[in-house]
Amino acid sequence: MVPKTWDTNRSKQHPVWLQGYIDSTDKQKQLYKKTLKILILSQIFGGTGLAAGITVGALLAQDMLGTESAAGIPVALLTLGSAGAALLVGRLSQRFGRGPGLAAGFLAGGMGAVGVIIAALINSVVLLFTSLLIYGAGTAANMQARYAGTDLATAKQRATAVSMAMVSTTFGAVAGPNLVDVMGKFAHSIGVPTLAGPFILAAAAFILAGLVLLIFLRPDPLIVSTAIANAQVENRTVQAEQNSESSTINKRGIVVGVTVMVLTQFVMAAIMTMTPVHMGHYGHRLGEVGLVIGFHIGAMYLPSPLTGMLVDKVGRTSTAVSSGATLLASGMLAAFAPADSMVLLICALVLLGVGWNFGLISGTALIVDATHPSIRAKIQGSADVLLALSGATGGALSGLVVAHYSYAILSLSGAILSLLIIPVVVWSRKTVNSDSVLRFPLLSSRPSAPSFSNFFTH
């Protein structure tokens, strides 16, 4: 099957402006740097919108329904909306470019936040839940923006580019919760329920993030990188390593990258979700819980620049193994640390965040390495669907494990599960069989056998 984005009849007829980027490595480098700057700005806004809404979503649902049993619904709806939107954002990006695809996700998230505000005003639970589902599109766009910086990056820059987008999210994620009280007072002053105040900030932040990408992310990095890759194949002037990357989809690489991300996301979400409950059972105050989770979130994003350099210089698979080892240490520490020890709990959750960071960045880089630009965004969108669902599953199952067994059993289970990353990485180092590589129609028309990895390529 010929991918819709691979137009062999038009691939040789590029517009003058696009041909300029194909012919000039200097222009490619300039566009790469410009893309990173725009992504950093949009991610600051995106992180603000994401954190501001999530902070009070559960409280708003509880207030409108009058029961604590509804507190978990907003997170579930956000996750479900994020998973569905990840698929759509990936396909829109593949068809129209990164700018329009990511902007659509952020703008939809902004509209969802507006819907939440209206739902609070008219006290409509149905509108609230529908709007939270749409609001999840902003989360999907915020996560997929990390891929955009890799489009024009060299193989030695890709993880660093991912890390720049991720660390930028941290600034917004820290600012959002700290503005909750301010936005609550502002909302009250204009006749809007106080708990809906942060969603005013979320709406503005998501819409600004979308507009930044839609207006300034030009020329589109995905369109340019696809044209460059096509031209390299056509002219047969690409070097051996680049030719291998641009002419094949390495299915083994895709599966390994996704598996690393999914495992780390599952373990992180499971332990993080139940840590506040565990602390509450042992008399820790809300402020102490917030401190532990704050350290955890910081550890998830702040090490990104260092992780990016490690992945690019030391290697993808080595960092992935480090992710498993770090998560193992986190799970063991969380399981055996005295419940009244704030220091040890903070250490456990910091290790949990760092392990997740290692896994997400190394897994992302593996996926980029394994795909051609002509279908890369679509595959990345499919990968992020599994990422979102794994987090939701981990969070949901964690409650059942703690209810029937204990927090220690949950943590030990997460530690053991993280070890699965090691055999996956060992498997990835084996020689790639011909069945694990799907060649593009330009080079070969041989159909591939159905497999699990076809989920990503079709």
Side-chain angles (χ1 to χ4, degrees), residues 267-282 289 293 345 349 352 394-404 406-408 410-411:
V267 173
M268 184 279 294
I271 296 177
M272 179 195 69
T273 298
M274 295 311 297
T275 296
V277 177
H278 170 66
M279 294 179 67
H281 289 163
Y282 287 88
V289 173
I293 298 302
L345 282 174
L349 270 289
L352 186 68
L397 292 180
S398 66
L400 295 175
V401 173
V402 172
H404 288 85
S406 66
Y407 178 77
L410 172 70
S411 300

Side-chain angles (χ1 to χ4, degrees), residues 88-400:
L88 295 176
V89 169
R91 277 152 175 71
L92 285 172
S93 297
Q94 195 67 72
R95 187 178 182 88
F96 301 107
R98 292 288 188 190
L102 293 173
F106 277 125
L107 293 174
M111 292 301 100
V114 171
V116 171
I117 299 167
I118 297 173
L121 281 169
I122 65 175
N123 198 34
S124 171
V125 175
V126 174
L127 180 58
L128 172 67
F129 289 166
T130 302
S131 299
L132 285 170
L133 195 68
I134 299 171
Y135 178 75
T139 304
N142 190 264
M143 284 297 291
Q144 285 202 37
R146 75 189 190 278
Y147 290 114
T150 68
D151 289 330
L152 290 168
T154 65
K156 295 297 184 181
Q157 294 175 320
R158 288 169 180 165
T160 301
V162 173
S163 71
M164 294 298 290
M166 287 183 60
V167 77
S168 302
T169 304
T170 310
F171 298 116
V174 171
N178 288 324
L179 293 174
V180 166
D181 287 340
V182 175
M183 293 307 302
K185 293 176 181 177
F186 171 74
H188 181 73
S189 69
I190 60 175
V192 174
T194 301
L195 288 175
F199 283 96
I200 299 175
L201 176 62
F206 274 160
I207 291 172
L208 282 173
L211 291 177
V212 165
L213 293 169
L214 192 61
I215 296 171
F216 298 108
L217 197 61
R218 299 169 184 263
D220 195 281
L222 183 58
I223 292 174
V224 173
S225 67
T226 302
I228 293 170
N230 290 354
Q232 288 174 338
V233 174
E234 292 161 5
N235 297 328
R236 301 294 195 274
T237 58
V238 68
Q239 297 175 356
E241 180 183 354
Q242 293 172 314
N243 186 63
S244 175
E245 289 179 1
S246 65
S247 63
T248 61
I249 305 173
N250 183 347
K251 288 187 176 182
R252 187 185 292 265
I254 295 171
V255 171
V256 172
V258 171
T259 302
V260 170
M261 291 197 303
V262 165
L263 282 174
T264 53
Q265 179 80 359
F266 183 92
V267 173
M268 184 279 294
I271 296 177
M272 179 195 69
T273 298
M274 295 311 297
T275 296
V277 177
H278 170 66
M279 294 179 67
H281 289 163
Y282 287 88
H284 288 282
R285 298 186 301 274
L286 187 60
E288 292 174 322
V289 173
L291 181 64
V292 171
I293 298 302
F295 270 100
H296 168 68
I297 293 175
M300 287 173 65
Y301 291 100
L302 288 178
S304 295
L306 178 59
T307 303
M309 288 190 292
L310 285 174
V311 174
D312 282 334
K313 294 183 182 299
V314 178
R316 278 75 160 133
T317 54
S318 297
T319 311
V321 170
S322 298
S323 170
T326 306
L327 291 174
L328 172 65
S330 170
M332 297 292 288
L333 185 58
F336 295 111
D340 59 352
S341 175
M342 281 289 293
V343 173
L344 291 181
L345 282 174
I346 288 174
C347 289
L349 270 289
V350 165
L351 288 172
L352 186 68
V354 172
W356 176 86
N357 185 270
F358 284 172
L360 186 71
I361 294 180
S362 61
T364 298
L366 283 166
I367 291 174
V368 175
D369 291 344
T371 53
H372 186 280
S374 64
I375 64 167
R376 183 171 291 158
K378 183 172 68 173
I379 291 175
Q380 290 164 346
S382 299
D384 276 9
V385 171
L386 296 181
L387 189 68
L389 293 178
S390 69
T393 304
L397 292 180
S398 66
L400 295 175

Side-chain angles (χ1 to χ4, degrees), residues 409-458:
I409 294 297
L410 172 70
S411 300
L412 285 174
S413 300
I416 295 170
L417 189 61
S418 65
L419 290 178
L420 290 177
I421 292 175
I422 297 175
V424 169
V425 169
V426 171
W427 173 71
S428 74
R429 290 181 177 273
K430 294 180 180 179
T431 303
V432 179
N433 297 323
S434 58
D435 288 341
S436 69
V437 176
L438 171 64
R439 299 194 177 278
F440 280 89
L442 185 62
L443 302 178
S444 172
S445 58
R446 179 175 63 84
S448 60
S451 68
F452 166 75
S453 54
N454 285 344
F455 170 78
F456 301 101
T457 56
H458 296 289

